[in-house]
Amino acid sequence: VNDTFKSLSDLTLADRYDLDEVLDKGALAEMVQSFEELTRVSTRIYGASGQLLADTRLTPPLYALLDRHLPGRLAVQKVIDRVRRAAPKPGTPERLPCISGGTFLALAILHDGRVVGRAILGPMLDPEVGAPPPELLEVAGGLSPTELDACFARLPKVSALEGERIAAHLERTLSLLVWSGLKAHLATNLHLESVKESFRELSEQNDKLKAAHDRLKELDRLKSNFLATVSHELRTPLTSIIGYSEMLLEGIAGDINQDQREFVETIHNKGEQLLGLIKTLLDLSKLESGTMSLRKDMMSCGALAQDVVATLTPTAKKKGVQLLARIAPGVPELYADSARLRQVLLNLTENGIKFTPSGGQVAITVEAGFMPQGDTGGAGAVLMGAAKRPAVVLSVADTGIGIGVEDRDRVFDAFYQIDSSSTREAGGTGLGLSIVKRLVEAHDGLIEIVGNEPQGTVFKVTLPSKRPPQ
Ligand SMILES: Nc1ncnc2c1ncn2[C@@H]1O[C@H](COP(=O)(O)OP(=O)(O)OP(=O)(O)O)[C@@H](O)[C@H]1O
Ligand SMILES: [Mg+2]
C-alpha cells in the first residue's frame, strides 16, 4: 500500500529471518558453554548465511599443538574448511572425519521446516580408537610424541550413538531458543511498527492541519482585502450623498419646506453614520493586514483623557452618568499616535457610558506603571535579567452591567456583542473593542478587563513608554 506500512509477513518475519536476528548472542554463548561443560564436546553455531554466532572458548589442545608447525597447521586448516562447507540435510547429522581420527557432527537447525542455521559438534573420538592414527602421526612428525599422546588422550571420548544423542539434544535446545527468541523479536517488531504507524498517522494529521491553517490564513487575507476594497468603493458615492444633502440643507438648490428639511437631515445623519461604519471597517482591515501606519509623536495621556471627557460629557449628561478623569502627577509622555489612542479611549469611554445605567459613574484614570512581568520585550531581556519596563496605564472604570469572566476574551472579537437579542437597547455594531485591542497591540501595549467593585467593568490599557528613535 505504502512503503511505511509493512506487510504482515514482513512484520512476522514469516519466511526470512536469520538466527542472529532472533537469538540473543549472550544467551546463546552461555548455552553453548554449559553444553560443552556437560558433554565436553566443543560446539559452534553458525547462522544461515554462514556467520559464526557462538563458539566454545578453547581450541582443543591437539589442534593447538598441530598449529605449531606447517604440516600440522595445513592439516587442521583442511579439516576446518571441510567442516565449514558442510551442508547437513535437515534431520540427519552429517559426520565429518577429523585428522585426529575422530569425527565432527554437523547438523541443520530447523525452524518451521526451514534451515535457519547450523551447529558443529566436535571433534570427538570413538572410545574404540585407542592410539593416534597414521595420518595424524604423519602430519605431527617433528612434534614431541609425549605431548602428542597427552593431547590425543584429552580428546573427548564419545561413541557414535552417544554423539547422535548429544546432537539431538542440542537440536532440541536450539529450537527452543529460536522459538522464544522469535517471540521476543516479534513482540518488539510489532511494537515498533505500531509506534511507527501512530507516528505516521500523527504526521498525516499534522499535514492536514497545516493545510487547513494555510487555507484559513489565505481566506482571512482575502476577507481583509475584500473588506478594504468594498469599504473604499462605498465611501465615494456616500461622500456624494452627504455632500448633496448638505447642499440641499443650505438652500443651494432653492428653498425647501420644513418637512423636506427634516427628511434631508435624516438622510444626512444616516449617511454620516454609515460613513463612520465604513471608516471603522477600513481601519479594521488595515489593522488586520498590518498596513495601518501610525503617526507617532511625543504626547500626553493626561491631556488626551481631558479631551475625551470634554467630548463625551454631553452624551454622559444626557444619560445621567457622571464622567470624570483622574490624572496622577508625573505621568511620563508617550511616543505614540495620539489620534489612534484618542480613538481607543473614546471607544472605551463610550462603551462605559453606554453600558452604565443612569446614576452611575465612568472614571478615566491615567497613571505611571510598569509592563506586566513576563512581558519581556524580546528574548534577550530574559537573559539580561529583565528590568521592569516603565509604562503608562489608562483605565476606564464604570459602575454598569459588567462583563462576565467567560466573555472577557470574546468581546474583543469583531462583531461580538454579549446580548445580541433584538430587544437589546444599546446600539452599535460590535467592532469598537476589536479595533481598540488591535490599536493597543500596534503600540506594543496590552489590554485587559477586570471587574469593578461592587459592580461594573474596568478596562486597563498598559502602554510601554518608549523613547522616539534618534
Ligand atoms: N463597559 C462595558 N460594560 C459592559 N459590557 C460591555 C462594555 N464594553 C463592551 N461591552 C460588551 O462588549 C460588546 C462589544 O463591545 P464593542 O465596543 O466591540 O461593540 P459595541 O459597543 O456593541 O459596538 P460599537 O463599538 O461597534 O459601536 C458590547 O456589545 C457589550 O456587550
Ligand atoms: Mg463600543
Side-chain angles (χ1 to χ4, degrees):
V1 190
N2 72 47
D3 52 15
T4 52
F5 190 76
K6 287 193 175 179
S7 74
L8 190 63
S9 74
D10 274 351
L11 269 183
T12 54
L13 301 172
D15 50 4
R16 41 148 215 97
Y17 65 90
D18 220 334
L19 272 192
D20 63 339
E21 280 179 76
V22 296
L23 284 187
D24 175 52
K25 273 223 172 127
L28 192 64
E30 199 74 39
M31 190 279 272
V32 162
Q33 197 57 40
S34 65
F35 195 80
E36 188 196 49
E37 272 162 28
L38 215 65
T39 62
R40 304 195 44 258
V41 178
S42 300
T43 310
R44 291 182 163 175
I45 313 287
Y46 292 94
S49 41
Q51 72 281 32
L52 182 63
L53 298 182
D55 189 5
T56 37
R57 271 161 233 165
L58 287 176
T59 320
L62 181 68
Y63 282 12
L65 179 71
L66 289 176
D67 202 42
R68 280 198 216 149
H69 81 158
L70 193 61
R73 205 177 305 152
L74 287 177
V76 167
Q77 198 54 52
K78 223 163 102 189
V79 172
I80 290 177
D81 282 349
R82 204 184 307 139
V83 170
R84 248 196 216 141
R85 269 185 275 111
K89 290 204 179 54
T92 31
E94 186 179 338
R95 284 187 164 274
L96 301 152
C98 166
I99 182 72
S100 62
T103 39
F104 281 92
L105 271 181
L107 51 122
I109 304 169
L110 280 180
H111 179 76
D112 242 3
R114 198 171 66 88
V115 178
V116 291
R118 274 176 311 142
I120 309 288
L121 285 165
M124 45 193 145
L125 199 62
D126 199 294
E128 261 144 53
V129 183
E135 315 92 81
L136 178 57
L137 292 175
E138 197 179 307
V139 297
L143 294 169
S144 144
T146 32
E147 252 187 290
L148 184 68
D149 280 343
C151 290
F152 183 78
R154 284 174 66 190
L155 282 170
K157 309 274 187 299
V158 177
S159 71
L161 190 69
E162 216 178 324
E164 246 141 69
R165 272 220 301 272
I166 291 174
H169 188 71
L170 179 65
E171 217 180 307
R172 275 206 302 279
T173 315
L174 279 174
S175 102
L176 271 179
L177 274 186
V178 170
W179 264 118
S180 61
L182 194 61
K183 219 165 85 181
H185 188 81
L186 269 183
T188 38
N189 243 12
L190 281 173
H191 177 70
L192 205 71
E193 282 309 312
S194 82
V195 169
K196 269 196 212 159
E197 178 60 10
S198 344
F199 179 75
R200 192 188 61 78
E201 269 170 22
L202 267 182
S203 342
E204 219 171 67
Q205 298 287 3
N206 210 15
D207 289 348
K208 277 190 198 152
L209 269 181
K210 197 183 165 318
H213 177 250
D214 287 351
R215 202 174 135 61
L216 278 180
K217 254 170 79 179
E218 173 64 9
L219 283 177
D220 206 46
R221 200 185 59 76
L222 288 176
K223 187 202 74 184
S224 293
N225 269 356
F226 174 76
L227 222 57
T229 320
V230 168
S231 18
H232 195 264
E233 293 305 310
L234 286 175
R235 221 162 38 159
T236 324
L238 196 56
T239 321
S240 300
I241 293 174
I242 293 169
Y244 279 101
S245 59
E246 270 168 3
M247 287 195 287
L248 279 178
L249 288 174
E250 280 164 22
I252 291 174
D255 288 341
I256 50 174
N257 66 29
Q258 191 53 37
D259 278 351
Q260 288 167 338
R261 169 170 299 276
E262 264 172 36
F263 288 3
V264 176
E265 262 168 9
T266 307
I267 293 176
H268 183 258
N269 289 344
K270 294 293 169 191
E272 289 283 9
Q273 206 180 326
L274 196 53
L275 190 62
L277 180 58
I278 288 169
K279 279 187 184 154
T280 310
L281 281 176
L282 251 177
D283 279 353
L284 192 64
S285 71
K286 276 191 206 154
L287 281 166
E288 276 185 349
S289 60
T291 52
M292 157 101 45
S293 53
L294 296 176
R295 274 184 227 141
K296 291 192 182 178
D297 216 334
M298 293 315 289
M299 56 152 296
S300 152
C301 288
L304 190 72
Q306 265 150 358
D307 174 53
V308 168
V309 169
T311 311
L312 289 180
T313 297
T315 321
K317 275 229 172 85
K318 219 190 277 174
K319 222 187 148 194
V321 171
Q322 188 197 359
L323 176 62
L324 56 102
R326 293 195 196 102
I327 296 146
V331 177
E333 286 207 314
L334 277 187
Y335 181 67
D337 185 330
S338 60
R340 293 306 183 180
L341 287 192
R342 184 172 188 275
Q343 209 180 337
V344 167
L345 209 52
L346 210 56
N347 262 311
L348 292 179
T349 314
E350 264 172 353
N351 278 354
I353 298 169
K354 189 156 65 169
F355 298 104
T356 301
S358 145
Q361 187 197 66
V362 176
I364 305 175
T365 315
V366 182
E367 56 198 335
F370 293 98
M371 293 308 288
Q373 285 291 336
D375 176 87
T376 54
V382 185
L383 304 172
M384 306 300 289
K388 278 187 161 186
R389 291 199 297 153
V392 174
V393 184
L394 306 172
S395 333
V396 179
D398 64 46
T399 58
I401 60 171
I403 299 178
V405 181
E406 67 284 358
D407 277 318
R408 287 186 187 168
D409 281 333
R410 305 220 322 241
V411 288
F412 294 111
D413 291 347
F415 300 110
Y416 184 78
Q417 296 181 307
I418 294 173
D419 170 21
S420 55
S421 67
S422 53
T423 53
R424 182 185 151 99
E425 285 170 29
T429 46
L431 285 175
L433 284 181
S434 67
I435 290 189
V436 163
K437 183 170 172 141
R438 287 189 161 90
L439 282 176
V440 169
E441 283 168 357
H443 280 90
D444 299 321
L446 290 168
I447 184 163
E448 57 181 328
I449 301 176
V450 282
N452 201 4
E453 287 303 325
Q455 65 167 36
T457 314
V458 184
F459 279 87
K460 205 170 135 193
V461 174
T462 313
L463 297 161
S465 47
K466 281 188 237 169
R467 255 172 244 126
Q470 297 303 312

